């Protein structure tokens, strides 16, 4: 066995501290020591999970982009506090020589190498539990697939490693084509699914068969999307950034993969409070917003979580997001007016529905989609006995660090948490994959295959049904359908995009959705809008503001540049991505 020194093994104590390894200098041990017992080997595998997103969930949650949320590189929000390098993305100033705040090249290859070391080591385990060895191998293959997918969605085709390279070897490994990378990810997911356990409500942080199948479905959805399924964003057939030609079979593969997750008949939308057709608007809002908010704070019994990072009980998420004006509240994220307008009404209609919307521009926060109330701090809201004041000069909008848009982010926050004086804590859950996304992935893919109202993969669900299932968490059963005619593929495509925008808001999806749909040049070049609110006695005047923050998105940003040092030092990578 190779005597490879494993520095990352020092993270073992974070995962299984009870095993008695806390005082050992793990960075001084080699593979022979680490893979001498099942317990040590399992600890090593757990350490490879630490490369997954939101690694310090008790400290920053989704604020992983140099203190900002990735949502603030989209039309979802703006980062309130200046100084974050997220401006490299919002202002188009990223170069291959900058440290990309959303990059992952070096870290992901480190974890891919660690996974490959683990696969070698597990094969050498003496007198091991064979079932455990099968599971650990499968977990490492899943983790490789995850890290490769995160690379591919950012950079296109990347080098594929077939063993853990040593410094003494030729490290000039060429990029594989985009197609080969997707095939590799799919193969890893397929192999992982054969050895991973069935999903369980007690193992959210470790991969299951469902997680492997869902990751496969996500990768295939991206591969089928316009950014990759045809010529490249630069108009060429460059094999590293696209397939070169369109194929409807890619949508079929994505739809079938998502259907396989649905057919497991395990996962469900988390909705502990039932909503009935006879419920009043107030009751629908109460139960719907509670269902949605608790999704991110309740772990036990939550069968929507396919794969999740959870944190120790804390209140940093609340401190980062509670409005300025609440003691210790930083209000780092200002949701945009575009995002607020995306939330429909409590009856399921869009605010600009010409035939039935009850939206009132001078009472804009009345009778909205319950997810609005579970996501946005807005003027006049009652939050834990405090009335939110985002009118100019109000308690929560009177400093240079106050909201930029008239709103703060309340999604992921727990109302009962106290962040000053005698502070209190709560659990937080940051889904990496959840069932609502799986349903939306399926809806998007199957609609492209055969329209909104067919079930070609016999999973008991059409694209329309999938949307109704997601919307059913927060709306009356009779109002969960979308206003799309039977057979209207184009109309359903837009409805799916709209639903995805609301359901998955602020969860790191929007930026990459806009890019894979090739909508980014239209959407991300628009200025961030907000709401100016003026108080006159006991009344308020609401004035939309079109230019809270300017934005720039150029064509080359559809894929990131490979870090310049990696291009220079790897002679097998002939050039960077187009236009960089």
């Amino acid at each position: 066995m190779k005597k490879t020194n494993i520095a990352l093994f020092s993270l073992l104590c974070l995962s299984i501290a009870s095993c008695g390894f806390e005082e050992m200098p793990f960075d001084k041990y080699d593979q022979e020591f680490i893979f001498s017992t099942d317990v040590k080997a399992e600890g090593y595998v757990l350490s490879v999970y630490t490369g997954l997103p939101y690694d310090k969930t008790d400290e920053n949650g989704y604020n992983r982009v140099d203190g900002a949320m990735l949502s603030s590189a989209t039309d979802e929000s703006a980062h309130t506090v200046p100084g974050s390098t997220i401006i490299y993305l919002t202002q188009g100033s990223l170069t291959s020589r900058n440290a990309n705040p959303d990059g992952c090249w070096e870290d992901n290859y480190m974890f891919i190498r660690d996974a490959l070391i683990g696969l070698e080591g597990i094969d050498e385990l003496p007198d091991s539990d064979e079932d455990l060895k099968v599971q650990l191998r499968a977990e490492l293959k899943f983790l490789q697939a995850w890290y490769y997918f995160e690379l591919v969605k950012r950079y296109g085709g990347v080098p594929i490693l077939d063993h853990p390279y040593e410094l003494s070897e030729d490290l000039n490994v060429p990029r594989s084509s985009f197609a080969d990378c997707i095939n590799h990810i799919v193969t890893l997911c397929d192999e992982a699914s054969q050895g991973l356990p069935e999903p369980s409500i007690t193992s959210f942080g470790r991969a299951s068969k469902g997680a492997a199948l869902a990751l496969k479905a996500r990768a295939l959805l991206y591969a089928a999307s316009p950014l990759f399924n045809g010529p490249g964003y630069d108009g060429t057939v460059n094999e590293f950034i696209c397939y070169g030609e369109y194929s409807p079979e890619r949508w079929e593969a994505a739809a079938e993969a998502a259907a396989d997750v649905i057919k497991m008949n395990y996962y469900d939308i988390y909705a502990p409070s039932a909503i009935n057709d006879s419920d009043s608007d107030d009751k629908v809002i109460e139960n719907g917003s509670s269902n949605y908010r608790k999704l991110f704070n309740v772990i036990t019994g939550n069968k929507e979580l396919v794969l999740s990072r959870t944190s120790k009980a804390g209140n940093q998420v609340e401190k980062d997001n509670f409005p300025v004006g609440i003691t210790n509240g930083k209000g780092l994220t200002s949701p945009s007016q575009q995002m607020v307008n995306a939330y429909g009404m409590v009856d399921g209609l869009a605010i600009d529905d010409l035939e039935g919307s009850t939206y009132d521009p001078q009472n804009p926060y009345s009778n909205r989609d319950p997810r609005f109330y579970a996501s946005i701090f807005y003027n006049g809201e009652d939050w834990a006995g405090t009335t939110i004041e985002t009118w100019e000069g109000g308690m929560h909008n009177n400093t240079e660090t106050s909201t930029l848009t008239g709103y703060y982010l309340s999604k992921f926050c727990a109302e009962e948490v106290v962040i000053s004086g005698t502070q209190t804590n709560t659990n937080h859950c940051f889904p990496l994959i959840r069932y609502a996304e799986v349903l939306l992935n399926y809806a998007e893919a199957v609609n492209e295959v055969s329209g909104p109202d067919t079930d070609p993969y016999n999973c008991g669900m059409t694209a329309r049904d999938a949307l109704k299932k997601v919307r059913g968490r927060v709306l009356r059963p009779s109002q969960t359908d979308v206003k799309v005619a039977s057979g209207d593929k184009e109309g359903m495509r837009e409805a799916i995009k709209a639903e995805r925008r609301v359901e998955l808001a602020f969860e790191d999806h929007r930026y990459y959705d806009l890019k894979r749909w090739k909508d980014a040049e239209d959407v991300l070049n628009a200025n961030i809008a907000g709401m100016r609110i003026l108080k006159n006695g006991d009344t308020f005047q609401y004035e939309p503001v079109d230019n809270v923050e300017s934005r720039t998105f150029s064509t080359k940003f559809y894929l990131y540049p490979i870090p310049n040092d990696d291009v220079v030092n790897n002679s097998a990578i002939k050039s960077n991505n187009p236009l960089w």
Side-chain angles (χ1 to χ4, degrees), residues 36-346:
S36 61
T37 69
D38 287 356
V39 171
K40 295 173 188 172
E42 185 171 12
Y44 179 83
V45 171
L46 291 176
S47 76
V48 184
Y49 277 90
T50 60
L52 295 179
Y54 325 126
D55 58 318
K56 297 179 179 179
T57 53
D58 58 316
E59 296 178 15
N60 55 29
Y62 285 105
N63 290 74
R64 62 171 184 80
V65 187
D66 193 20
M69 299 179 73
L70 188 61
S71 69
S72 293
T74 77
D75 59 341
E76 290 180 330
S77 65
H79 188 57
T80 306
V81 181
S84 170
T85 55
I86 197 169
I87 64 171
Y88 290 169
L89 308 183
T90 62
Q91 303 303 313
S93 55
L94 179 70
T95 74
S96 62
R97 290 175 172 82
N98 294 140
N100 184 344
D102 186 41
C104 66
W105 187 276
E106 292 183 3
D107 286 348
N108 280 29
Y109 273 114
M110 179 182 71
F111 285 105
I112 288 168
R113 182 177 183 273
D114 291 332
L116 291 167
I117 290 171
L119 288 170
E120 285 187 352
I122 288 168
D123 287 339
E124 303 297 327
L125 272 174
D127 304 320
S128 179
D129 180 331
E130 285 301 318
D131 289 339
L132 177 63
K133 287 173 69 173
V134 168
Q135 179 178 335
L136 295 181
R137 286 194 199 98
E139 287 182 90
L140 290 171
K141 289 181 178 181
F142 170 84
L143 290 167
Q144 282 189 80
W146 182 279
Y147 296 131
Y148 274 119
F149 173 70
E150 290 297 311
L151 285 164
V152 169
K153 81 177 188 182
R154 287 169 169 81
Y155 305 103
V158 297
I160 294 176
L161 308 185
D162 58 6
H163 69 281
Y165 281 76
E166 300 291 338
L167 290 175
S168 58
E169 295 184 77
D170 181 4
L171 302 180
N172 295 303
V173 183
R175 293 176 75 176
S176 294
S177 68
F178 175 80
D180 285 347
C181 288
I182 292 295
N183 290 340
H184 186 58
I185 292 166
V186 168
T187 297
L188 287 169
C189 288
D190 284 339
E191 292 176 354
S193 70
Q194 299 303 308
L196 288 169
E198 295 293 321
S200 163
I201 60 172
T202 60
S203 298
F204 298 114
R206 296 179 71 169
S208 66
K209 178 179 180 179
L213 295 179
L215 176 58
K216 173 184 173 180
R218 182 190 285 180
L220 289 170
L221 180 76
Y222 272 65
S225 298
L227 179 60
F228 303 111
N229 192 3
Y233 62 86
D234 65 341
T236 71
V237 292
N238 184 331
E239 68 174 350
F240 300 125
I241 68 170
C242 64
Y243 284 106
E245 79 290 326
Y246 173 80
S247 172
E249 293 179 357
R250 297 186 183 109
W251 287 114
E252 294 170 10
E256 185 172 13
D260 286 342
V261 182
I262 295 169
K263 288 191 284 189
M264 293 183 73
N265 293 318
Y266 173 82
Y267 299 106
D268 202 359
I269 295 296
Y270 184 74
S273 298
I275 297 176
N276 303 302
D277 280 332
S278 59
D279 289 342
S280 66
D281 288 348
D282 287 346
K283 188 66 173 179
V284 173
I285 290 170
E286 177 187 352
N287 286 353
S289 60
S290 175
N291 286 342
Y292 192 68
R293 189 177 294 282
K294 287 181 179 178
L295 165 63
F296 304 100
N297 297 111
V298 175
I299 301 169
T300 303
N302 189 341
K303 294 177 72 173
E304 184 165 345
L305 302 177
V306 180
L307 182 68
S308 181
R309 294 298 291 267
T310 57
S311 71
K312 64 184 181 182
N315 63 15
Q316 190 61 45
V317 171
E318 285 73 20
K319 288 179 178 178
D320 284 345
N321 291 291
F322 276 12
V324 173
I326 293 177
T327 302
N328 291 333
K330 299 177 182 178
L332 295 181
T333 301
S334 296
S336 67
Q337 191 62 47
Q338 291 100 318
M339 187 66 241
V340 169
N341 290 348
Y343 293 99
M345 304 300 291
V346 70

Side-chain angles (χ1 to χ4, degrees), residues 234-517:
D234 65 341
T236 71
V237 292
N238 184 331
E239 68 174 350
F240 300 125
I241 68 170
C242 64
Y243 284 106
E245 79 290 326
Y246 173 80
S247 172
E249 293 179 357
R250 297 186 183 109
W251 287 114
E252 294 170 10
E256 185 172 13
D260 286 342
V261 182
I262 295 169
K263 288 191 284 189
M264 293 183 73
N265 293 318
Y266 173 82
Y267 299 106
D268 202 359
I269 295 296
Y270 184 74
S273 298
I275 297 176
N276 303 302
D277 280 332
S278 59
D279 289 342
S280 66
D281 288 348
D282 287 346
K283 188 66 173 179
V284 173
I285 290 170
E286 177 187 352
N287 286 353
S289 60
S290 175
N291 286 342
Y292 192 68
R293 189 177 294 282
K294 287 181 179 178
L295 165 63
F296 304 100
N297 297 111
V298 175
I299 301 169
T300 303
N302 189 341
K303 294 177 72 173
E304 184 165 345
L305 302 177
V306 180
L307 182 68
S308 181
R309 294 298 291 267
T310 57
S311 71
K312 64 184 181 182
N315 63 15
Q316 190 61 45
V317 171
E318 285 73 20
K319 288 179 178 178
D320 284 345
N321 291 291
F322 276 12
V324 173
I326 293 177
T327 302
N328 291 333
K330 299 177 182 178
L332 295 181
T333 301
S334 296
S336 67
Q337 191 62 47
Q338 291 100 318
M339 187 66 241
V340 169
N341 290 348
Y343 293 99
M345 304 300 291
V346 70
D347 59 6
L349 297 178
I351 66 169
D352 59 356
D353 187 289
L354 298 178
E355 297 179 359
S357 177
T358 58
Y359 177 70
D360 179 358
Q362 287 305 314
N363 190 15
Y365 313 128
S366 176
N367 287 338
R368 301 294 295 272
D369 182 316
R371 289 171 292 192
F372 167 79
Y373 301 102
S375 303
I376 308 295
F377 284 115
Y378 61 94
N379 188 58
E381 176 181 4
D382 180 10
W383 179 267
T386 295
T387 300
I388 302 300
E389 299 179 354
T390 56
W391 46 273
E392 291 192 353
M395 183 186 302
H396 308 109
N397 188 13
N398 59 20
T399 73
E400 291 184 356
T401 59
S402 295
T403 173
L404 299 175
T405 61
Y407 307 100
Y408 293 97
L409 180 69
S410 72
K411 188 173 178 177
F412 317 119
C413 296
E415 186 171 4
E416 67 274 11
V417 168
V418 178
I419 64 171
S420 64
T422 304
Q423 300 186 23
T424 59
N425 301 318
T426 190
N427 293 312
H428 295 95
C429 169
F430 301 91
L432 298 170
I433 308 174
R434 60 184 178 97
Y435 189 53
E437 184 214 337
V438 173
L439 292 176
L440 291 167
N441 292 349
Y442 170 76
E444 183 176 345
V446 78
N447 180 62
E448 297 299 329
V449 171
S450 55
D453 298 298
T454 67
D455 178 18
Y457 304 101
N458 298 313
C459 66
M461 195 171 294
T462 66
R464 189 185 303 275
D465 293 334
L467 260 64
K468 290 172 70 173
K469 180 74 171 175
V470 173
R471 288 158 62 87
R473 185 206 317 269
V474 297
L475 300 176
R476 298 180 182 91
S478 63
Q479 295 175 331
T480 56
D481 201 358
V482 292
K483 295 182 71 172
V484 175
S486 178
D488 183 358
K489 180 185 291 189
E490 290 72 23
M492 182 57 76
R493 182 185 300 131
E494 295 307 311
I496 291 166
K497 288 182 178 182
E499 185 61 28
R500 191 177 180 95
R501 180 179 189 179
V502 169
E503 177 64 27
L504 302 179
F506 308 103
E507 295 180 49
D508 276 11
H509 287 280
R510 178 74 171 165
Y511 187 66
Y512 287 99
D513 280 345
L514 289 170
K515 294 210 285 189
R516 69 180 177 85
W517 293 329

Side-chain angles (χ1 to χ4, degrees), residues 536-551:
N536 183 13
D538 294 330
T539 64
F540 297 99
Q541 181 178 343
Y542 293 89
E543 299 178 355
V545 178
D546 293 334
N547 188 10
V548 169
E549 183 176 277
S550 63
R551 294 292 176 87

